[in-house]
Amino acid sequence: MGFRIKVPLLPFELRSPSRITRRRTAVATFVVVVTATGSFLMGDLLWGMPLKGAAGVIWALFTLLFGLLSFGASQAAFGFLARRGRGDRATIFRTLPDDPSAVPLAPTAIVLPVYNEEVTRVFAGLRAIYKSVERTGQLEHFDFFILSDSTEPDQWVKEEMAWVELCRELGARGRIFYRKRRINSNKKAGNIGDFLRRWGRRYRYMVVLDADSVMAGESIVTLVRLMERNPRAGLIQSAPALMGAETFFARVLQFSSRLYGPIFLAGLNYWQQSEGNYWGHNAIIRVKAFIDHCALPQLPGREPFGGRILSHDFVEAALLRRAGYEVWLTPGLEGTYEELPPTLIDYAKRDRRWAQGNLQHFWLVFARGLHSVSRVHFAMGILAYSSSLFWFISLIIGTLFVVGFNRTGLTWIPEPGVANLLGLPAGAQAGVLALATFVLLFLSKILAVADLALQPGGMARFGGFGKVCAGVLIEVVFSVLLAPVLMLFHAKFVVSILLGSGVKWVTQRRESEDAINWREAYETHRGHLLLGLVWTLTLVLFAPGLLAWMSPVLLGMVLAVPFSALTAQRRFGLAAQRAGLLCTPDELAPPDELRELHWKLEAPETAAFQREMGGRDVAFTRAIADPYVNAVHRCQLRDRSGRAESITEYFRMMQEHLLREGPAALKPHEKTALLADADSMDRLHREVWTRPLADLAPWWRDALAAHAPKAV
């Protein structure tokens, strides 16, 4: 899955300071020159505005936002150039020898943290990874861990039974492990930290997955060999491709990511080199370095800006780099995948959490000892969300000035028709700025299509030239409608965070069948709709000349409700797939891992498991009444002695409520407490089978009838 080359570089040859300096200087020069040019044009256009202070605000916002566009365009441009010819020599792949199998492997843990995720999808993905690693012939070097932080009682039992079944099916007892954490402190970072404290010293590396991750075994083996070949590497981040999209919303994003992503990733690696970043999953980490240097600090103050760190991955990468370890990206490594939210609303919910995590990094931009590139990563993460607020403010200010000028007859040019310093009329100069902005916005799309066309068989991988062009046109229209809505979402998120509103840890909706309906779309986007209508009416009445310029922004706001509801529909996404539109190479020629994942999800035994364990309190009830499920669950618990009498009485009270009134009598946290207590599970199982039926709730009579044959 990696690159094989004829002349490998030694690790020290990859880290040429002069090469890195030249690359970063080239990127910085591109950004500075383009930004300065645009800034000068805008300043020249605004110099005669009567309200000097407001003009300065507009100019400052424009310069910042134009600079961000320039930076994005620079990554596309340099990524395109890096992929030409024989490719970029300064990638970590170049350190592998002609025969990568000559590089030995080391003990590696593959860890999969989960939190109330769809059980069948999680374990089908893990099964696909396990089988793929097994096909490499290197399975003895890997152990697999499901690290559960799930809080739902039914979820806990389902995970245990899915784990047992997976171990039985694969013959993987002693190779795949399941651990349910009792106290869910510090979320995913705490889950990984708890694993490392208990078992981390047994492994040299760990591959961190997400609940929706899939990785090819060859890709995992390649990452381990890269770590072995580069002792200074503390973390190597793969670039997962999006997969599994079914709704129209997800399919457009999946297509655009797969088409435009390669040049952006090559451009990102071009300038960051060994000062890369960590995205939280589908990455390999040197365990000892992580244990020794990546304990997360507590930020000053309270949430949302203070307290525990949400976006821990950026911080962990910066801490590794501060300790002298390298962090690399692997553009071009195939066989690494993740899913994405199926709807715009779910996408925005995820962005809300990420927005808070990135804004927290404001404290760390100025932290002592960090590498300058790590500070750049923090700053870019902050600007990724705050820039939407800046765009919104600049549009509002610009609209207010044009409306004010139209009502008063004023103009920002001292005399109509008089040119500024460049000798261009104001309209022409504004047109040049608009054209430059569009060039920066569309440069990445043009270069990505050109890069694909220059690859042998590149177009065919996406269905052909016509399908690629149609997909790009669909993506452009889609992006025009999506951008204003995301701008408003992000601006709202930033303002709410600044006002002290934090975010809760919730499970991400991943299933396409749960697509939003029109009511949910209206409730979510009615503010966007109202703002768009008011803004449009204002321009119609007071500044009709600006309406054409603002139409792309206003159209997205006005159509937010139908856009969100219709793109969330699975049928439209599948219709596009049947027509061959928005397809990716991984769909047209699926790798073994994805074929196995889909086969397992559609297998009869998967549907049977969902039926048997489906329904509220069904899995919880089986953990008590079903002898086999109870035995499996009980074996995962620790016996506790020396408990206070008051606590024993409290558990006895909950047990009696459960037996006499059924599961509905208890709250979720009380059920979880019973599931975590070995004595309670022993006693409840014994009582439901020995107590007279008249003393049990009707719920238990039905449960015993269902599970009686299994007890024989």
Side-chain angles (χ1 to χ4, degrees):
M1 291 293 178
F3 292 121
R4 293 192 178 186
I5 60 176
K6 294 183 178 179
V7 184
L9 295 176
L10 295 176
F12 69 86
E13 294 180 288
L14 185 64
R15 303 163 181 88
S16 169
S18 59
R19 177 196 289 134
I20 296 174
T21 300
R22 287 195 304 270
R23 289 177 171 226
R24 291 175 182 169
T25 301
V27 173
T29 301
F30 180 98
V31 174
V32 170
V33 170
V34 173
T35 304
T37 302
S39 179
F40 174 76
L41 289 173
M42 176 58 82
D44 189 42
L45 184 65
L46 297 174
W47 76 273
M49 181 179 287
L51 302 175
K52 300 292 185 181
V57 172
I58 294 177
W59 175 81
L61 289 174
F62 174 86
T63 300
L64 173 63
L65 297 171
F66 200 76
L68 291 176
L69 284 179
S70 302
F71 184 67
S74 74
Q75 294 197 113
F78 284 97
F80 175 80
L81 295 175
R83 287 171 60 83
R84 296 303 90 225
R86 292 189 300 173
D88 188 359
R89 277 188 60 80
T91 68
I92 196 169
F93 288 114
R94 300 292 189 174
T95 61
L96 286 178
D98 291 343
D99 181 13
S101 63
V103 181
L105 300 183
T108 302
I110 298 177
V111 299
L112 177 60
V114 295
Y115 176 77
N116 294 330
E117 302 285 350
E118 173 55 45
V119 172
T120 54
R121 168 59 185 86
V122 168
F123 283 84
L126 185 62
R127 178 187 181 277
I129 297 170
Y130 184 95
K131 296 284 287 183
S132 185
V133 173
E134 188 176 45
R135 286 193 294 271
T136 67
Q138 304 294 336
L139 185 62
E140 69 271 15
H141 298 287
F142 298 91
D143 287 334
F144 299 76
F145 292 84
I146 304 103
L147 309 178
S148 176
D149 263 349
S150 298
T151 56
E152 296 295 329
D154 284 326
Q155 195 76 13
W156 183 355
V157 179
K158 290 178 185 177
E159 290 169 356
E160 286 181 332
M161 299 312 300
W163 164 63
V164 170
E165 176 58 27
L166 183 64
C167 291
R168 184 202 62 77
E169 177 189 355
L170 299 177
R173 292 183 178 88
R175 186 69 64 187
I176 302 178
F177 304 93
Y178 173 85
R179 190 283 317 267
K180 170 69 173 68
R181 200 161 55 130
R182 293 178 62 87
I183 301 175
N184 303 351
S185 60
N186 208 19
K187 302 181 178 173
K188 181 178 179 179
N191 199 355
I192 296 291
D194 183 76
F195 163 77
L196 291 176
R197 283 189 294 272
R198 295 173 185 271
W199 300 289
R201 305 264 178 203
R202 301 181 181 182
Y203 303 95
R204 188 176 299 176
Y205 310 115
M206 68 173 174
V207 175
V208 180
L209 303 176
D210 216 348
D212 57 1
S213 296
V214 174
M215 291 189 73
E218 190 62 38
S219 300
I220 295 174
V221 169
T222 297
L223 289 175
V224 175
R225 286 178 172 145
L226 285 171
M227 293 292 275
E228 284 288 281
R229 183 70 173 169
N230 296 269
R232 290 172 56 186
L235 187 150
I236 302 177
Q237 173 67 62
S238 75
L242 299 179
M243 59 92 178
E246 295 184 333
T247 65
F248 192 81
F249 176 86
R251 289 194 60 77
V252 175
L253 294 186
Q254 178 179 274
F255 171 81
S256 62
S257 172
R258 200 71 167 95
L259 180 60
Y260 309 144
I263 63 171
F264 274 109
L265 293 168
L268 189 60
N269 181 74
Y270 181 86
W271 66 268
Q272 69 179 20
Q273 292 291 279
S274 59
E275 283 79 42
N277 212 348
Y278 176 35
W279 302 338
H281 56 87
N282 291 51
I284 188 168
I285 298 172
R286 193 174 298 275
V287 168
K288 186 177 187 308
F290 196 84
I291 292 174
D292 291 344
H293 302 288
C294 290
L296 294 177
Q298 192 84 353
L299 296 177
R302 294 182 296 179
E303 291 189 9
F305 273 103
R308 56 184 174 77
I309 294 175
L310 282 182
S311 293
H312 56 90
D313 39 17
F314 280 36
V315 182
E316 289 159 349
L319 293 175
L320 281 172
R321 194 66 195 93
R322 185 178 71 170
Y325 290 94
E326 297 173 347
V327 179
W328 283 92
L329 177 65
T330 55
L333 180 69
E334 299 288 341
T336 172
Y337 307 96
E338 65 170 329
E339 295 177 352
L340 72 164
T343 72
L344 171 55
I345 293 177
D346 294 300
Y347 190 87
K349 288 177 180 178
R350 186 185 69 174
D351 273 5
R352 172 62 180 85
R353 185 176 69 252
W354 287 2
Q356 180 173 327
N358 279 271
L359 290 181
Q360 280 184 325
H361 295 162
F362 175 81
W363 296 107
L364 302 172
V365 172
F366 309 101
R368 290 179 296 178
L370 296 183
H371 195 282
S372 58
V373 176
S374 297
R375 301 183 197 276
V376 170
H377 288 311
F378 288 140
M380 295 306 298
I382 294 169
L383 289 172
Y385 294 95
S386 58
S387 61
S388 292
L389 179 60
F390 298 149
W391 274 114
F392 182 65
I393 292 173
S394 63
L395 291 174
I396 289 290
I397 293 176
T399 300
L400 291 176
F401 277 126
V402 174
V403 170
F405 293 152
N406 284 359
R407 294 189 64 189
T408 61
L410 296 175
T411 175
W412 63 69
I413 302 301
E415 296 179 17
V418 175
N420 295 332
L421 296 177
L422 293 179
L424 294 175
Q429 201 156 322
V432 171
L433 279 171
L435 178 62
T437 302
F438 279 111
V439 168
L440 293 178
L441 284 171
F442 286 93
L443 181 64
S444 62
K445 304 179 191 298
I446 296 170
L447 292 178
V449 174
D451 178 71
L452 190 67
L454 291 172
Q455 299 174 30
M459 289 290 181
R461 297 175 64 229
F462 284 83
F465 178 78
K467 297 296 174 60
V468 170
C469 292
V472 171
L473 289 176
I474 293 172
E475 189 274 333
V476 168
V477 175
F478 177 91
S479 297
V480 168
L481 297 176
L482 175 64
V485 181
L486 285 184
M487 176 188 70
L488 294 179
F489 269 131
H490 291 171
K492 177 183 176 182
F493 297 160
V494 172
V495 171
S496 66
I497 292 167
L498 293 175
L499 295 177
S501 176
V503 64
K504 294 182 179 180
W505 192 25
V506 297
T507 304
Q508 179 178 305
R509 177 166 56 184
R510 306 184 193 272
E511 292 297 312
S512 301
E513 290 78 2
D514 295 332
I516 60 175
N517 54 38
W518 283 87
R519 181 179 180 83
E520 184 180 358
Y522 173 75
E523 292 293 333
T524 303
H525 298 287
R526 60 184 176 185
H528 305 156
L529 170 62
L530 179 61
L531 177 61
L533 292 175
V534 171
W535 206 329
T536 302
L537 181 61
T538 301
L539 294 184
V540 169
L541 295 177
F542 301 110
L546 187 60
L547 190 59
W549 290 93
M550 289 290 297
S551 58
V553 176
L554 298 176
L555 192 63
M557 296 180 187
V558 173
L559 297 180
V561 174
F563 175 79
S564 182
L566 294 176
T567 59
Q569 300 304 310
R570 185 169 176 262
R571 65 178 184 273
F572 295 133
L574 296 182
Q577 184 181 32
R578 288 192 296 270
L581 296 174
L582 304 173
C583 291
T584 65
D586 304 309
E587 289 180 325
L588 298 177
D592 292 341
E593 296 75 29
L594 298 189
R595 284 200 299 267
E596 288 186 350
L597 171 65
H598 297 149
W599 174 83
K600 185 61 178 178
L601 290 175
E602 297 170 0
E605 59 266 25
T606 301
F609 178 87
Q610 291 175 321
R611 287 193 303 270
E612 291 177 8
M613 290 291 183
R616 184 176 179 82
D617 293 323
V618 171
F620 172 70
T621 302
R622 289 193 63 178
I624 295 172
D626 189 313
Y628 176 70
V629 179
N630 178 265
V632 168
H633 178 76
R634 176 64 182 80
C635 287
Q636 307 306 310
L637 303 178
R638 289 182 297 170
D639 292 317
R640 295 183 177 274
S641 58
R643 189 160 59 186
E645 185 63 28
S646 58
I647 296 178
T648 302
E649 287 300 318
Y650 174 71
F651 274 96
R652 284 296 176 94
M653 179 189 68
M654 287 194 295
Q655 294 165 18
E656 290 303 316
H657 276 303
L658 179 61
L659 293 170
R660 295 181 180 277
E661 302 176 36
L666 299 183
K667 298 177 181 178
H669 74 272
E670 293 174 325
K671 298 173 190 175
T672 301
L674 289 175
L675 283 174
D677 183 61
D679 291 339
S680 294
M681 295 305 295
D682 280 341
R683 182 173 183 269
L684 286 169
H685 181 68
R686 185 172 60 252
E687 289 294 320
V688 297
W689 285 105
T690 59
R691 186 175 291 194
L693 291 179
D695 294 341
L696 296 174
W699 174 279
W700 294 107
R701 300 170 197 169
D702 297 336
L704 293 176
H707 302 309
K710 297 184 180 183
V712 177

